[in-house]
PDB file of all heavy atoms in Angstrom:
ATOM      1  N   THR A  73     -53.241 -35.981   0.955  1.00 98.00           N
ATOM      2  CA  THR A  73     -53.043 -35.763  -0.491  1.00 98.00           C
ATOM      3  C   THR A  73     -52.648 -34.310  -0.744  1.00 98.00           C
ATOM      4  O   THR A  73     -53.002 -33.407   0.025  1.00 98.00           O
ATOM      5  CB  THR A  73     -54.324 -36.037  -1.303  1.00 98.00           C
ATOM      6  OG1 THR A  73     -55.331 -35.079  -0.908  1.00 98.00           O
ATOM      7  CG2 THR A  73     -54.848 -37.448  -1.079  1.00 98.00           C
ATOM      8  N   LYS A  75     -53.747 -32.538  -3.133  1.00 98.00           N
ATOM      9  CA  LYS A  75     -54.978 -31.809  -3.482  1.00 98.00           C
ATOM     10  C   LYS A  75     -55.619 -31.167  -2.247  1.00 98.00           C
ATOM     11  O   LYS A  75     -55.947 -29.982  -2.247  1.00 98.00           O
ATOM     12  CB  LYS A  75     -55.964 -32.772  -4.153  1.00 98.00           C
ATOM     13  CG  LYS A  75     -57.246 -32.110  -4.603  1.00 98.00           C
ATOM     14  CD  LYS A  75     -58.188 -33.133  -5.247  1.00 98.00           C
ATOM     15  CE  LYS A  75     -59.532 -32.504  -5.566  1.00 98.00           C
ATOM     16  NZ  LYS A  75     -60.508 -33.486  -6.050  1.00 98.00           N
ATOM     17  N   GLU A  92     -35.111 -30.877 -10.860  1.00 93.00           N
ATOM     18  CA  GLU A  92     -36.040 -30.210 -11.765  1.00 93.00           C
ATOM     19  C   GLU A  92     -37.251 -31.078 -12.092  1.00 93.00           C
ATOM     20  O   GLU A  92     -38.390 -30.587 -12.087  1.00 93.00           O
ATOM     21  CB  GLU A  92     -35.294 -29.815 -13.050  1.00 93.00           C
ATOM     22  CG  GLU A  92     -36.074 -28.832 -13.910  1.00 93.00           C
ATOM     23  CD  GLU A  92     -35.295 -28.417 -15.163  1.00 93.00           C
ATOM     24  OE1 GLU A  92     -34.104 -28.083 -15.027  1.00 93.00           O
ATOM     25  OE2 GLU A  92     -35.891 -28.437 -16.252  1.00 93.00           O
ATOM     26  N   ILE A  94     -38.648 -33.550 -10.371  1.00 96.00           N
ATOM     27  CA  ILE A  94     -39.543 -33.686  -9.216  1.00 96.00           C
ATOM     28  C   ILE A  94     -40.308 -32.381  -8.995  1.00 96.00           C
ATOM     29  O   ILE A  94     -41.537 -32.379  -8.835  1.00 96.00           O
ATOM     30  CB  ILE A  94     -38.739 -34.037  -7.934  1.00 96.00           C
ATOM     31  CG1 ILE A  94     -38.001 -35.368  -8.125  1.00 96.00           C
ATOM     32  CG2 ILE A  94     -39.669 -34.110  -6.712  1.00 96.00           C
ATOM     33  CD1 ILE A  94     -37.164 -35.791  -6.921  1.00 96.00           C
ATOM     34  N   VAL A  98     -44.472 -31.902  -9.237  1.00 98.00           N
ATOM     35  CA  VAL A  98     -45.243 -31.442  -8.078  1.00 98.00           C
ATOM     36  C   VAL A  98     -45.938 -30.116  -8.386  1.00 98.00           C
ATOM     37  O   VAL A  98     -47.109 -29.916  -8.035  1.00 98.00           O
ATOM     38  CB  VAL A  98     -44.322 -31.327  -6.834  1.00 98.00           C
ATOM     39  CG1 VAL A  98     -45.034 -30.614  -5.687  1.00 98.00           C
ATOM     40  CG2 VAL A  98     -43.862 -32.717  -6.395  1.00 98.00           C
ATOM     41  N   VAL A 134     -46.470 -18.017 -10.130  1.00 98.00           N
ATOM     42  CA  VAL A 134     -45.330 -18.772  -9.610  1.00 98.00           C
ATOM     43  C   VAL A 134     -44.087 -17.876  -9.466  1.00 98.00           C
ATOM     44  O   VAL A 134     -43.732 -17.142 -10.382  1.00 98.00           O
ATOM     45  CB  VAL A 134     -44.989 -19.961 -10.545  1.00 98.00           C
ATOM     46  CG1 VAL A 134     -43.699 -20.655 -10.097  1.00 98.00           C
ATOM     47  CG2 VAL A 134     -46.149 -20.950 -10.584  1.00 98.00           C
ATOM     48  N   MET A 192     -22.050 -16.584  -0.936  1.00 92.00           N
ATOM     49  CA  MET A 192     -21.563 -17.561   0.048  1.00 92.00           C
ATOM     50  C   MET A 192     -20.662 -18.600  -0.604  1.00 92.00           C
ATOM     51  O   MET A 192     -19.656 -18.994  -0.046  1.00 92.00           O
ATOM     52  CB  MET A 192     -22.744 -18.254   0.717  1.00 92.00           C
ATOM     53  CG  MET A 192     -23.356 -17.418   1.809  1.00 92.00           C
ATOM     54  SD  MET A 192     -24.603 -18.342   2.721  1.00 92.00           S
ATOM     55  CE  MET A 192     -26.076 -17.814   1.884  1.00 92.00           C
ATOM     56  N   ALA A 216     -11.319 -17.181  11.284  1.00 95.00           N
ATOM     57  CA  ALA A 216     -10.948 -16.012  10.472  1.00 95.00           C
ATOM     58  C   ALA A 216     -12.180 -15.212  10.047  1.00 95.00           C
ATOM     59  O   ALA A 216     -12.092 -14.030   9.748  1.00 95.00           O
ATOM     60  CB  ALA A 216     -10.151 -16.449   9.244  1.00 95.00           C
ATOM     61  N   PRO A 252      -6.373  -2.538  -7.416  1.00 73.00           N
ATOM     62  CA  PRO A 252      -5.292  -3.323  -8.023  1.00 73.00           C
ATOM     63  C   PRO A 252      -5.219  -4.767  -7.522  1.00 73.00           C
ATOM     64  O   PRO A 252      -4.778  -5.650  -8.250  1.00 73.00           O
ATOM     65  CB  PRO A 252      -4.030  -2.536  -7.627  1.00 73.00           C
ATOM     66  CG  PRO A 252      -4.516  -1.126  -7.453  1.00 73.00           C
ATOM     67  CD  PRO A 252      -5.902  -1.254  -6.871  1.00 73.00           C
ATOM     68  N   THR A 267     -11.711 -33.855  -4.108  1.00 83.00           N
ATOM     69  CA  THR A 267     -11.165 -35.206  -4.014  1.00 83.00           C
ATOM     70  C   THR A 267     -11.600 -35.865  -2.700  1.00 83.00           C
ATOM     71  O   THR A 267     -12.026 -35.175  -1.773  1.00 83.00           O
ATOM     72  CB  THR A 267      -9.622 -35.172  -4.027  1.00 83.00           C
ATOM     73  OG1 THR A 267      -9.201 -34.374  -2.903  1.00 83.00           O
ATOM     74  CG2 THR A 267      -9.095 -34.543  -5.304  1.00 83.00           C
ATOM     75  N   ASP A 268     -11.436 -37.192  -2.632  1.00 85.00           N
ATOM     76  CA  ASP A 268     -11.758 -37.901  -1.391  1.00 85.00           C
ATOM     77  C   ASP A 268     -10.914 -37.354  -0.245  1.00 85.00           C
ATOM     78  O   ASP A 268     -11.379 -37.220   0.886  1.00 85.00           O
ATOM     79  CB  ASP A 268     -11.501 -39.403  -1.543  1.00 85.00           C
ATOM     80  CG  ASP A 268     -12.593 -40.056  -2.385  1.00 85.00           C
ATOM     81  OD1 ASP A 268     -13.620 -39.389  -2.633  1.00 85.00           O
ATOM     82  OD2 ASP A 268     -12.399 -41.202  -2.816  1.00 85.00           O
ATOM     83  N   LYS A 271     -12.354 -34.061   0.839  1.00 83.00           N
ATOM     84  CA  LYS A 271     -13.615 -34.328   1.567  1.00 83.00           C
ATOM     85  C   LYS A 271     -13.335 -34.751   2.998  1.00 83.00           C
ATOM     86  O   LYS A 271     -13.918 -34.237   3.945  1.00 83.00           O
ATOM     87  CB  LYS A 271     -14.393 -35.452   0.867  1.00 83.00           C
ATOM     88  CG  LYS A 271     -15.267 -35.000  -0.287  1.00 83.00           C
ATOM     89  CD  LYS A 271     -16.141 -36.175  -0.737  1.00 83.00           C
ATOM     90  CE  LYS A 271     -16.882 -35.855  -2.008  1.00 83.00           C
ATOM     91  NZ  LYS A 271     -17.627 -37.009  -2.523  1.00 83.00           N
ATOM     92  N   LYS A 273     -10.708 -34.317   4.800  1.00 83.00           N
ATOM     93  CA  LYS A 273     -10.088 -33.227   5.547  1.00 83.00           C
ATOM     94  C   LYS A 273     -11.160 -32.282   6.099  1.00 83.00           C
ATOM     95  O   LYS A 273     -11.101 -31.830   7.239  1.00 83.00           O
ATOM     96  CB  LYS A 273      -9.178 -32.447   4.593  1.00 83.00           C
ATOM     97  CG  LYS A 273      -7.825 -32.087   5.135  1.00 83.00           C
ATOM     98  CD  LYS A 273      -6.985 -31.543   3.967  1.00 83.00           C
ATOM     99  CE  LYS A 273      -5.650 -31.017   4.445  1.00 83.00           C
ATOM    100  NZ  LYS A 273      -4.826 -30.560   3.313  1.00 83.00           N
ATOM    101  N   LEU A 290     -25.782 -28.211  19.351  1.00 84.00           N
ATOM    102  CA  LEU A 290     -25.192 -27.051  18.665  1.00 84.00           C
ATOM    103  C   LEU A 290     -26.292 -26.192  18.033  1.00 84.00           C
ATOM    104  O   LEU A 290     -26.219 -24.967  18.041  1.00 84.00           O
ATOM    105  CB  LEU A 290     -24.212 -27.511  17.581  1.00 84.00           C
ATOM    106  CG  LEU A 290     -22.902 -28.148  18.045  1.00 84.00           C
ATOM    107  CD1 LEU A 290     -22.145 -28.731  16.858  1.00 84.00           C
ATOM    108  CD2 LEU A 290     -22.031 -27.120  18.773  1.00 84.00           C
ATOM    109  N   LEU A 304     -31.092  -7.694  19.177  1.00 90.00           N
ATOM    110  CA  LEU A 304     -30.118  -6.607  19.257  1.00 90.00           C
ATOM    111  C   LEU A 304     -29.986  -5.849  17.937  1.00 90.00           C
ATOM    112  O   LEU A 304     -30.006  -4.619  17.876  1.00 90.00           O
ATOM    113  CB  LEU A 304     -28.752  -7.195  19.647  1.00 90.00           C
ATOM    114  CG  LEU A 304     -27.524  -6.277  19.527  1.00 90.00           C
ATOM    115  CD1 LEU A 304     -27.639  -5.105  20.495  1.00 90.00           C
ATOM    116  CD2 LEU A 304     -26.250  -7.075  19.812  1.00 90.00           C
TER     117      LEU A 304
END
Side-chain angles (χ1 to χ4, degrees):
Chain A
T73 64
K75 182 181 174 186
E92 194 178 313
I94 300 179
V98 170
V134 173
M192 280 187 264
T267 59
D268 285 348
K271 275 189 189 175
K273 224 170 174 177
L290 290 172
L304 169 64

